[in-house]
Amino acid sequence: MLKNGLAQANTNHLGKIIPVAVLLLMLMSLYGSWYTIDQGERGVLLRNGKIIDTAEPGLGFKIPLMDTVVKISTQTHTANYQGLQAYSRDQQPATLRASVTFSIPPDRVEEVYANFKSIDLMVSRLLDRQVPTQIENIFGKYTAISAVQERIKFGIDVTDAITKSIKGPVTINSVQIENIDFSNAYEKSVEDRMRAEVEVQTQLQNLEKERVSAQIAVTQAQAEADSQLARAIAEAESIRIKGNAEASAIKIRAEALAQNQNLVELTKAERWDGRLPTTMLPTGTIPFLEVQTTK
């Protein structure tokens, strides 16, 4: 009877556990049937490991225990590369630091998962193999000084080379050459060369300034000389005209006096102040009192 009692108790206990387990399983299945995809990512829907669809941002449904969702980011990512060794066209060794900005096109997330499983593995197999090689190749086309002076063009050329060399579900947005580090000896030689060039440019500027100043002085002197010459010519012309006028007046007056003797006497009379001379010679006549009679 004891054994029958224990068996009955176990049966009753199992009868309570099974419904609870079934309920929990149903709740877990129901909870696992839903998933969410955030904005800035896409989902790859797998059924028993096989890709059956891609999921857009939002709430989605999947079959419990059969379907799984792998999320792939479509936002912008950056891969950093440090300590890249390269030689310039003029055989100057350099250590470069660069960064590559990239993103996954939303319509190619399925390809990313199918070929690489994750973005990290894709970067390792695609970017990490091509970026150092392409930077080294492009850097070798520049001299050391031109790579520094034409930094923007160098970056554009590197971006173009990397973009063309990488074939896969990735978009290269930009490549930044963050630093180019040459040897200390070369950097010192560049510094000395730049200092010398600055000094030469300064001297050239000083010479140009002196040349301009001298030219200004010459121009001012020429202008002053021209001004003095113009004044002298004007003054001489004025004197000539005045002299000609005076000579002409004298000539006309002389001709008039020669032709009319009475005009001489009139002139004397006009100039007489009305006083008689205090001293007279015995044979002298009183001025202006001579009377000529007409016969």
Side-chain angles (χ1 to χ4, degrees), residues 150-167:
E150 302 175 25
R151 187 77 164 266
I152 296 177
K153 183 178 182 302
F154 175 52
I156 293 174
D157 290 345
V158 169
T159 301
D160 186 60
I162 292 175
T163 301
K164 291 180 179 179
S165 65
I166 294 178
K167 308 297 182 182

Side-chain angles (χ1 to χ4, degrees), residues 32-66:
S33 300
W34 302 97
Y35 63 89
T36 56
I37 303 296
D38 292 335
Q39 195 69 38
E41 63 183 13
R42 295 293 185 273
V44 178
L45 186 60
L46 306 173
R47 180 164 296 166
N48 298 323
K50 180 181 178 180
I51 298 176
I52 61 172
D53 199 2
T54 56
E56 298 291 322
L59 182 66
F61 177 80
K62 63 183 179 65
I63 298 175
L65 305 177
M66 295 180 61

Side-chain angles (χ1 to χ4, degrees), residues 52-93:
I52 61 172
D53 199 2
T54 56
E56 298 291 322
L59 182 66
F61 177 80
K62 63 183 179 65
I63 298 175
L65 305 177
M66 295 180 61
D67 295 347
T68 56
V69 177
V70 178
K71 299 177 181 180
I72 303 293
S73 173
T74 56
Q75 295 180 333
T76 300
H77 301 268
T78 300
N80 296 303
Y81 298 89
Q82 300 184 14
L84 301 179
Q85 302 296 320
Y87 281 86
S88 64
R89 191 175 66 192
D90 51 350
Q91 297 301 309
Q92 291 296 332

